[in-house]
Amino acid sequence: MATILAIESSCDETSISIIKDGELLSNVVATQIEMHVKYGGVMPEVASRLHCENILFVLNESLEKANVNLEDIDAFAFTRGPGLIGALHVGMQTAKTLAMLYHKPLIPVHHLAGHIYANEYSHPLKFPLLSVVVSGGNTELVYMPSSMEFEIIGETKDDAIGECFDKVARTVGLPYPGGIPIDKLSKEGEHTYNLPTPLHDGSLNFSYSGLKTAVINLVNNEKARGNEINIPNLCKSFQDTAIGMVMDRVNRAVNQYDIKQIVLAGGVSANSYLRQKMHERFDNTNIELVVPPLWCTTDNAAMIARLATHLYDMKVFAPLSISCDPNWRIDKYKIYN
Ligand code: KG4
């Protein structure tokens, strides 16, 4: 048990949390979303600069809220990847500087593993488990026979599901991040547009670029014909198809793997239709469904802190020479000691 300061800066949220003996003392998040809305997505260079501007304010506020001093911290954790390289560097350099100054260990944390372990704030994890990782940058089915063992059993061959939600939203003039307005408008619409579900190879893999292109073509063709698009109906048709692909792969995976628990993780796990479908499928079965609290679906350092407590106990420490890895795969989690 220890007091750990954790930093998350993989995309457009600068966040620092302090956790003491497993109890979350603070979780300060400075979001940049408003700055990126005008570009219709995250501008990597702008994100890095904003992390630089925000990180010391976030650090001070987090220490103040937790009522601890830097001298009280036993280890400094940071998101090593995956994410935007420039953004990751800001969090990593901050963690390295603090670890060097206070002669304390440095803990590298995998962002998606953090999303999985964030579920521990609401529910203990039980193994073997299947994690459905659905975010802006990744779409993966991760099988975990035991804690800290990760096997990717299915992944997207092209776009991530969240990226697809964002691009479809932009095509029909909805704001970034597109998953939220699509989810909302779908509730007013009906499934009237027929959209393709690519990749019928019987595997656990995903493909979203064909679905995205199909929506773009449909919108362009309707416009060219002078027809108006029914946006709520298109949102509903798209959402059903995109989430349908997740449910299809999840059903295949639970037939192939013996699991006790199924855990949602990542930004798209906030989707109300995905949550509904997962409850319909797994409530009253012998597989326990764990759905993260909504505050855990967006990026924050509390999830990094949660996983860092396990890594601290396992003494997974990194040398000061470590660099971040924007494409770090969850099944390549190395033990640095
Ligand atoms: O996990 P996250 O922050 O992304 C990465 O770390 O990459 O999730 C952001 C993604 C965005 O693509 C956003 O559109 C999507 O999560 N998202 C949603 C919903 N809320 C956020 N997608 C579908 N339905 C939602 N309610």
Side-chain angles (χ1 to χ4, degrees), residues 111 115 135-137 162 165-166 177-180 183 266-268 270-271 299:
H111 179 80
H115 269 300
S135 78
F165 267 90
D166 294 339
I180 299 161
D183 191 355
V268 182
N271 185 268
D299 291 347

Side-chain angles (χ1 to χ4, degrees), residues 40 163-176 178 181-182 209 211-223 229 231 234-235 238:
E163 188 184 350
C164 189
F165 267 90
D166 294 339
K167 290 198 175 135
V168 164
R170 190 156 64 176
T171 304
V172 295
L174 296 172
Y176 172 83
I182 289 181
S209 80
L211 176 57
K212 170 194 71 187
T213 310
V215 174
I216 295 171
N217 289 345
L218 186 145
V219 170
N220 289 341
N221 290 340
E222 291 300 295
K223 272 188 193 157
I229 306 277
I231 293 183
L234 183 55
C235 286
F238 162 72

Side-chain angles (χ1 to χ4, degrees), residues 8 10-13 33 82-83 111-112 115 133-138 160-167 169 175-184 187 238-239 243 265-274 294 296-300 303:
E8 156 64 32
S10 65
C11 191
D12 56 351
E13 264 93 27
I33 281 188
H111 179 80
L112 299 177
H115 269 300
V133 180
V134 278
S135 78
N138 298 81
I161 183 169
E163 188 184 350
C164 189
F165 267 90
D166 294 339
K167 290 198 175 135
Y176 172 83
I180 299 161
I182 289 181
D183 191 355
K184 203 164 158 233
K187 294 191 176 118
F238 162 72
Q239 181 172 272
I243 300 299
V268 182
S269 70
N271 185 268
S272 61
Y273 185 65
L274 173 63
L294 277 179
C296 276
T297 62
T298 49
D299 291 347
N300 62 77
M303 65 186 205

Side-chain angles (χ1 to χ4, degrees), residues 14-271:
T14 319
S15 178
I16 298 186
S17 278
I18 295 164
I19 195 165
K20 185 179 180 187
D21 302 338
E23 189 199 338
L24 188 66
L25 301 184
S26 63
N27 182 35
V28 176
V29 184
T31 183
Q32 309 173 357
I33 281 188
E34 276 181 22
M35 302 298 285
H36 298 287
V37 164
K38 59 178 176 248
Y39 304 109
V42 177
M43 283 288 279
E45 177 60 25
V46 174
S48 312
R49 287 171 190 227
L50 291 172
H51 284 306
C52 290
E53 281 175 25
N54 292 336
I55 196 127
L56 291 182
F57 296 108
V58 173
L59 175 65
N60 286 335
E61 199 180 324
S62 196
L63 288 164
E64 245 170 57
K65 283 209 166 131
N67 198 21
V68 296
N69 297 313
L70 281 167
E71 290 79 8
D72 304 327
I73 306 293
D74 296 307
F76 295 93
F78 68 99
T79 302
R80 180 180 177 240
L84 303 170
I85 181 92
L88 289 167
H89 263 287
V90 181
M92 183 186 68
Q93 295 303 348
T94 307
K96 277 187 182 181
T97 308
L98 293 170
M100 199 164 69
L101 262 176
Y102 291 92
H103 305 286
K104 292 291 160 58
L106 187 63
I107 304 178
V109 180
H110 190 285
H111 179 80
L112 299 177
H115 269 300
I116 296 173
Y117 278 82
N119 281 285
E120 284 190 334
Y121 283 115
S122 70
H123 217 82
L125 298 183
K126 284 185 206 145
F127 303 93
L129 68 73
L130 177 71
S131 179
V132 184
V133 180
V134 278
S135 78
N138 298 81
T139 310
E140 290 173 359
L141 290 183
V142 180
Y143 172 66
M144 296 180 67
S146 60
S147 189
M148 289 307 294
E149 262 193 273
F150 307 94
E151 195 186 321
I152 300 175
I153 57 170
E155 62 190 315
T156 182
K157 292 286 147 198
D158 39 61
D159 293 353
I161 183 169
E163 188 184 350
C164 189
F165 267 90
D166 294 339
K167 290 198 175 135
V168 164
R170 190 156 64 176
T171 304
V172 295
L174 296 172
Y176 172 83
I180 299 161
I182 289 181
D183 191 355
K184 203 164 158 233
L185 282 172
S186 292
K187 294 191 176 118
E188 300 160 21
E190 283 173 36
H191 190 146
T192 54
Y193 292 98
N194 205 5
L195 295 167
T197 49
L199 210 67
H200 294 276
D201 61 358
S203 74
L204 299 174
N205 291 326
F206 303 83
S207 166
Y208 282 103
S209 80
L211 176 57
K212 170 194 71 187
T213 310
V215 174
I216 295 171
N217 289 345
L218 186 145
V219 170
N220 289 341
N221 290 340
E222 291 300 295
K223 272 188 193 157
R225 291 190 195 110
N227 295 336
E228 211 171 293
I229 306 277
N230 182 316
I231 293 183
N233 285 359
L234 183 55
C235 286
K236 172 74 178 144
S237 310
F238 162 72
Q239 181 172 272
D240 280 5
T241 313
I243 300 299
M245 202 184 317
V246 177
M247 294 310 299
D248 178 74
R249 302 317 188 254
V250 163
N251 280 322
R252 263 186 227 163
V254 296
N255 287 334
Q256 290 173 26
Y257 289 80
D258 192 18
I259 57 159
K260 284 202 176 119
Q261 219 178 39
I262 186 153
V263 166
L264 294 185
V268 182
S269 70
N271 185 268

